[in-house]
Each structure stands twice: as structure tokens, then as C-alpha cells.
Amino acid sequence: MSEYKNSNIFSFEIVKKIPGHLGRAGIIHTPHGDIMTPAFMCVGTRGQVPFLSPEDLREIGAQAMLSNGYHLRNVSPEIAEQGGLAKWSGWNGPTLTDSGGFQVMSLGSGLGKVVSMEREKEVTNRKKEERLAIVTETGIEFTDPVTKELDFIGPKESMEIQCRIGADIHMAFDELTSLADSYEYNVEALERTERWAQISLDVHREHEYDLGYKQSLYGVLQGGRWEDLRRSTAKKMGQMDFDGYGLGGAFLKNNLGDILRWCNEELPENKPRHLLGLSHPDDILIGALSGADTFDCVAPSREARHGRIYTHDGYYALNKFKESDEVLEEGCDCPACTKGYTRKQLYAMLKSEDKAIRYEYFKLATQHNLRFIIRLTEEIRQAILEERFEQYKDDFMMRYYKHK
Ligand SMILES: [Zn+2]
């Protein structure tokens, strides 16, 4: 018997829609708690957000944590033994795992999620043999970047790993194509992703209650930048028995909104959608307008560690404010800003010889940047509920990007 009260529950409730658009505010009910959407999921790849304890996460209003099936694959039996990711990590709230497909494909292509045209050309010109990942019908063969040993992961393996980790939400195993891949290659990869989706679904259903509560599965949509591919796969996957959908792929900034619209117009309205790996404020605003419910990305915490601080007026480099007595951002309600840490103090902490002091900087700066993004999603939700989303979006964008 599971100790979780709502252990068999997974559902999505739409509370309010953005008139004339696909966006909405809603609630995702999971065995480990509710997620009020739109929501940002903090990334704890290995089950912990770097430098933050579960308490530190709760302090900034985090609602859910995303971890990675690939990175946790070797400890997954231990996680299962301890009752699943929420318990094992000490987070005890809603969790999601990625399938690992993106990580192993990234070894091959070296591509991020949103790339510039220059980067696209550079990657296209790289030789195939330099790639570290090879796609086969049953999965992806890759060279482990640490051990240099050959390894393999496919839909079956990914589902078994994710069901041992036991997050509330899992992602089906997919093949991420890069912006450099041709239309023909995308057709081939998409058909494979659809076959893998069915295998993912079958294997997942065998194990979804293994840990005593319902684990849900999202199908992941690919299709590159092509409208016909995006629509046809959304229609097909939309008819499959997934609990929700992951919106995947490499996007160019200027077509993100179109791609999301093509997918979300075809998907069933009553299932939640997660936009994978994007979190710049404009991506989140466009995502929320176009019907994405949840978001994740490592950027806010990674940038904090490098001394890049988010504010409503765009981000800045902390080393430009070595002498400043201002807080990171006036009006911010994160622990660093409410306790009155100045930019000068924080910069000195970042540069300290003392490891414990540097650690404290990493914690405070990560909390600030994550709080900025979480607050953005809270404000978006409020604006949708009060029917003023488009005004909110315009005001935010005007201020955030005016300095660029
Ligand atoms: Zn702050």
C-alpha cells in the first residue's frame, strides 16, 4: 500500500484560457502534489539542484523538480528501493524525469536547444565520424563521455530506468534531430520516434505502479521546423494513450511560437504539455501564450554560477558591479535580496578563497535567478487569470529587452 493520499491520481484541470490563443492557466495533480501552471520546473539533473537543498528550493516557491534518467541510470535501483525520486532526493514534491535521449544525442551533435544560424552552419560542416552517438532502430549507441566505454539506451531501457527512478511524470524516448538535419532525415527520425513512442508506452504501462503510486508518461513531439511534420506527428501521438506531451526539438528563436502552435492545435486540449529545455523569459512568454504549461532549463542556475544575474531590465554581469551597494534587484523577494546582500558583497563571496563562502554565493545567486524565473511564471498565471496576459507580456518584454 502506498502512503501517498492521492497515489493513483494524475490529472490536468484548465482553470482559465487566454482568449483567442492556445495558452491557459491550470493545475496538474500528481501523486506528490499539485503544480499550478504555467510553472517552471527546477533542474536537478542528478536529483538535486546544484547548491540548493530541498528547503532552499521551497524557499523560492519551486513547485517541481526535473531530473534526468540518463544521469541517474546507475543509481536507479537504489532510488527504487528508497521509494522513488521524491523521497530519495528529500524534495518530496512533484518530479519529472527526462528520457536521456536528448543527452545522448547531444553527445553526437554538439547542439543546444536554440541555436543561431552561424552555429547551425558550423555544426553542419562537422564530419559525421566526429559524432559520438549512432542511432539504430532499437535505440542510440554512444560513447560514455566519462568512461569512454560504449553504451546503449533505447525506449525499453529508458522506460525501465525511469520507472525505477519513479518520478511523477516521465518522458517517452525520442530522437532529437538538429537544425542541421534535412527534411528527409527528419521524416525518417520522426517515424522512428513514433515507433519508440509506442514501445515507451507499452513498457511504461507494465511498470507504472511498481513503486505504489501512479507514474505518468508524456509522449515527446519532434518534427523539426516543418509544419506538415509537426502537425502530423501531433495528430498521431495525440491519439495515443499518453498522460501529457513533451514539446521537443531544436528551435530557432523566430519560429518557436509557430512550432508550438502547430503542435498544440493538433494535441488534445485536456492534457498537459511541457516545453523541454527552454527558459529565457521571451521563450517562456511565447510558450505560455502558445499553450505550453510547464518549462525547465539549466540556464538560470548555470548563469548564476557564472556571475550572470537576471533582473526585469535584462541580465547583467556581477563583475561590472564590484563596488555597488545595491541588492541584486530592487523589489526581488529571494533570500539574498530580502536579507540585503549587496552586489559588492556577493562579488567578493564569488571571488573568495574560502570554499564555504563561495558555496554560499552559489546558493544565493542560484536562488535569485531561479526565483526570477519562478516569479515570472507566477505573474504569467496571475495575468492569465485576470485576463491581462497580452498586456503583461508586452510590458515585460519592453522592459526586459530595451537595453539590448
Ligand atoms: Zn533576488
Side-chain angles (χ1 to χ4, degrees):
M1 276 299 284
S2 164
E3 68 203 75
Y4 297 107
K5 249 195 324 219
N6 300 316
S7 60
N8 295 332
I9 283 183
F10 181 88
S11 64
F12 179 59
E13 202 183 310
I14 296 172
V15 179
K16 186 105 185 178
K17 296 182 202 170
I18 302 172
H21 292 276
L22 294 154
R24 63 268 182 100
I27 307 171
I28 303 172
H29 302 282
T30 84
H32 292 86
D34 292 345
I35 305 168
M36 317 299 265
T37 65
F40 178 75
M41 300 186 164
C42 297
V43 183
T45 305
R46 292 179 169 80
Q48 194 207 347
V49 177
F51 303 100
L52 301 193
S53 69
E55 259 326 298
D56 298 334
L57 268 186
R58 276 187 278 274
E59 205 176 16
I60 53 170
Q63 299 195 73
M65 179 176 71
L66 178 140
S67 299
N68 193 281
Y70 168 70
H71 289 98
L72 290 173
R73 67 196 191 284
N74 296 329
V75 284
S76 61
E78 270 167 54
I79 300 176
E81 215 162 280
Q82 291 190 31
L85 181 61
K87 255 191 180 173
W88 177 80
S89 65
W91 161 243
N92 279 320
T95 52
L96 186 150
T97 43
D98 205 348
S99 70
F102 171 65
Q103 277 66 29
V104 289
M105 281 309 288
S106 305
L107 298 175
S109 65
L111 273 180
K113 302 287 283 191
V114 182
V115 299
S116 65
M117 292 308 280
E118 292 75 46
R119 183 96 175 85
E120 181 183 354
K121 275 193 209 105
E122 179 199 317
V123 173
T124 317
N125 293 336
R126 280 171 53 179
K127 293 198 192 88
K128 277 260 190 280
E129 48 273 27
E130 286 171 15
R131 298 187 170 193
L132 289 170
I134 298 159
V135 180
T136 70
E137 180 53 32
T138 47
I140 301 170
E141 287 169 7
F142 63 98
T143 309
D144 187 303
V146 182
T147 64
K148 308 286 176 217
E149 279 173 27
L150 268 185
D151 207 341
F152 174 85
I153 188 167
K156 181 174 179 293
E157 292 74 18
S158 175
M159 289 308 111
E160 288 170 351
I161 292 167
Q162 290 189 74
C163 286
R164 282 197 295 271
I165 296 169
D168 296 300
I169 300 166
H170 305 179
M171 291 286 156
F173 192 79
D174 63 318
E175 180 184 345
L176 170 74
T177 55
S178 84
L179 289 171
D181 290 319
S182 66
Y183 177 85
E184 289 69 29
Y185 187 79
N186 269 274
V187 172
E188 185 192 321
L190 195 58
E191 287 170 358
R192 195 159 34 237
T193 287
E194 289 167 0
R195 288 193 292 276
W196 288 354
Q198 189 57 54
I199 299 169
S200 294
L201 206 45
D202 294 343
V203 178
H204 178 87
R205 290 292 176 242
E206 282 173 38
H207 297 285
E208 62 184 336
Y209 289 102
D210 278 4
L211 299 185
Y213 52 85
K214 157 89 173 165
Q215 303 178 31
S216 296
L217 180 63
Y218 284 18
V220 178
L221 306 187
Q222 294 291 344
R225 71 191 96 157
W226 290 279
E227 181 171 0
D228 59 330
L229 301 186
R230 286 282 178 181
R231 284 192 187 276
S232 75
T233 199
K235 204 174 270 177
K236 224 177 277 175
M237 303 262 280
Q239 286 161 3
M240 295 168 76
D241 188 24
F242 288 109
D243 300 293
Y245 292 90
L247 306 163
F251 302 103
L252 285 170
K253 279 265 178 212
N254 58 8
N255 64 10
L256 174 63
D258 285 335
I259 291 178
L260 295 180
R261 189 168 48 77
W262 300 334
C263 297
N264 292 339
E265 278 177 358
E266 305 296 338
L267 285 175
E269 190 184 39
N270 61 355
K271 292 188 177 178
R273 305 156 186 158
H274 180 84
L275 178 56
L276 284 149
L278 292 184
S279 75
H280 285 121
D282 55 339
D283 301 331
I284 290 187
L285 286 160
I286 290 167
L289 179 71
S290 315
D293 302 300
T294 52
F295 305 85
D296 80 88
C297 190
V298 292
S301 36
R302 192 179 51 209
E303 303 214 334
R305 298 200 290 277
H306 292 128
R308 275 190 291 276
I309 304 299
Y310 289 16
T311 79
H312 282 78
D313 296 300
Y315 62 82
Y316 63 83
L318 195 57
N319 64 12
K320 298 232 169 80
F321 296 89
K322 286 176 201 171
E323 301 303 327
S324 168
D325 290 322
E326 288 177 82
V327 293
L328 292 176
E329 183 180 22
E330 203 55 56
C332 172
D333 60 2
C334 85
C337 294
T338 49
K339 286 176 193 152
Y341 281 91
T342 65
R343 298 179 189 186
K344 183 161 80 183
Q345 281 174 308
L346 287 160
Y347 182 75
M349 289 166 75
L350 169 61
K351 291 293 161 191
S352 171
E353 299 281 307
D354 186 327
K355 208 175 153 193
I357 294 177
R358 279 203 310 279
Y359 194 100
E360 188 63 13
Y361 162 82
F362 290 133
K363 180 186 124 173
L364 291 168
T366 302
Q367 278 187 310
H368 171 85
N369 274 4
L370 286 177
R371 179 63 197 147
F372 178 83
I373 297 293
I374 290 168
R375 198 146 57 108
L376 171 65
T377 56
E378 289 172 358
E379 287 171 3
I380 289 173
R381 179 179 168 87
Q382 201 53 36
I384 295 173
L385 295 178
E386 291 168 7
E387 293 188 10
R388 52 177 179 81
F389 174 78
E390 290 186 79
Q391 187 60 49
Y392 172 81
K393 176 172 175 279
D394 291 348
D395 292 347
F396 185 98
M397 297 280 274
M398 185 86 85
R399 189 173 160 197
Y400 191 84
Y401 291 103
K402 75 170 177 251
H403 301 288
K404 296 284 157 74

